[in-house]
Amino acid sequence: MIIRETCVAIWDALHAAVMAQPHKEQWKEIADVFQQTCQFPNCAGAIDGKHIRIKKPVRSGSQYYNYKKYFSFVLFAMCDANYSFRYIDVGSYGSRSDSAVFAHSEFGKMLQDKALDLPEHTALPGTTSPAMPFVFVGDEAFALGENLMRPYSSRGLSLARRVFNYRLTRARRVVECAFGILANKWRFLHTPIHLKLETAISAVKAACVLHNFVRARDGYNFDDSLTHSLQSHRPSVVRGHRQGAAVREQFTAYFMSPHGALPWQLEAI
């Protein structure tokens, strides 16, 4: 009871201060940092989902039993390039795919409904047209959309598409780093959580806001941030729509252009 009440109090006290939904100008600031550190323009955040190990909840059947053959719930997160969480959704069934968790989350619904207050379309650095949307980057588990970029399928890729996948991965990996920092700082995440389901969810939410609180106070340097015990979801087969495909092709062309290419990108792929 003490653990649960404390975790709820931490969440209630810090959530609005360290994980408030960004407004238009803040989205631009987030995108500027992604451009400076990851060289991916118009990027408003990186998204991913991780399994949090738990003991089997009472009367839960197989809902929390994931493809890795253990019980878990999902921590879905969107983070900025400073490895801070800007949105989390905690507690979805471990048997669900990333795309399903995303689609049913408040963040996914707001993105679908154009309710995130993203900035207006703007041209990529060094160009005057076309005006491009601000996007979130994820792995192949997510469906391609106008505001959501995922990698090309790995089969028979052209040089330009391989470069796009490399550039997207540079931006997307920040959410992997954020999960690594989280798990290494709050080490109960390295092992199954032996608490009631509701208390375990509250503990993870408290750890996420404390993560942001500590990041803001301690700065943004970290060690061994990619080593953690949080398991990714199994990618599911999801399809995007034409508008998303057109946006991805525009990014692909830009990354091969004189204005958008990186000197080392061809060697890196």
Side-chain angles (χ1 to χ4, degrees):
M1 182 66 72
I2 292 173
I3 293 173
R4 183 176 181 183
E5 289 181 353
T6 302
C7 290
V8 170
I10 290 171
W11 171 263
D12 290 343
L14 292 181
H15 176 239
V18 302
M19 206 182 289
Q21 180 180 324
H23 54 68
K24 190 169 296 185
E25 291 304 315
Q26 289 174 323
W27 286 124
K28 290 180 180 179
E29 293 172 2
I30 292 171
D32 287 343
V33 179
F34 267 103
Q35 170 63 12
Q36 293 166 13
T37 60
C38 306
Q39 292 77 51
F40 199 110
N42 287 28
C43 181
I47 61 175
D48 199 7
K50 293 294 181 183
H51 288 290
I52 305 298
R53 288 176 176 260
I54 55 173
K55 66 178 183 179
K56 181 182 179 181
V58 178
R59 295 186 294 275
S60 64
S62 61
Q63 292 174 320
Y64 290 94
Y65 195 64
N66 64 42
Y67 77 102
K68 291 278 191 179
K69 310 301 182 185
Y70 61 82
F71 292 93
S72 67
F73 59 76
V74 178
L75 164 59
F76 169 79
M78 185 275 288
C79 76
D80 61 27
N82 288 323
Y83 313 103
S84 294
F85 298 115
R86 293 305 185 114
Y87 173 86
I88 60 171
D89 181 277
V90 187
S92 293
Y93 300 137
S95 58
R96 278 187 168 181
S97 66
D98 271 354
S99 57
V101 172
F102 173 73
H104 288 88
S105 69
E106 181 183 358
F107 178 81
K109 293 174 182 177
M110 292 181 72
L111 182 63
Q112 180 69 29
D113 296 338
K114 308 291 186 183
L116 286 176
D117 194 29
L118 292 175
E120 293 80 12
H121 290 23
T122 184
L124 301 180
T127 68
T128 56
S129 65
M132 296 285 285
F134 283 76
V135 300
F136 299 92
V137 294
D139 61 21
E140 61 273 13
F142 297 96
L144 185 66
E146 180 185 11
N147 300 108
L148 181 54
M149 295 290 100
R150 56 167 282 175
Y152 289 100
S153 173
S154 59
R155 297 180 179 178
L157 291 181
S158 66
L159 178 63
R161 291 187 173 189
R162 287 165 57 201
V163 167
F164 173 86
N165 283 1
Y166 165 70
R167 298 288 292 271
L168 181 139
T169 299
R170 281 174 54 82
R172 190 192 63 78
R173 70 183 294 274
V174 302
V175 69
E176 293 281 345
C177 289
F179 284 133
I181 298 165
L182 177 74
N184 286 339
K185 189 72 157 181
W186 315 106
R187 301 190 69 83
F188 75 98
L189 295 170
H190 280 295
T191 59
I193 303 175
H194 291 280
L195 296 169
K196 291 182 179 179
L197 179 63
E198 295 80 6
T199 307
I201 290 172
S202 294
V204 172
K205 291 169 66 176
C208 288
V209 291
L210 285 171
H211 166 91
N212 281 12
F213 182 79
V214 172
R215 298 291 295 160
R217 292 192 170 222
D218 287 359
Y220 300 118
N221 294 321
F222 60 93
D223 297 315
D224 197 25
S225 62
L226 288 176
T227 303
H228 61 83
S229 59
L230 306 184
Q231 296 291 326
S232 297
H233 269 185
R234 176 174 53 187
S236 56
V237 179
V238 288
R239 296 182 178 180
H241 55 65
R242 293 181 180 178
Q243 196 168 10
V247 172
R248 185 166 64 176
E249 289 293 338
Q250 290 286 353
F251 274 111
T252 302
Y254 175 76
F255 292 149
M256 295 298 290
S257 72
H259 296 296
L262 297 177
W264 67 85
Q265 64 187 23
L266 296 182
E267 287 77 11
I269 63 173

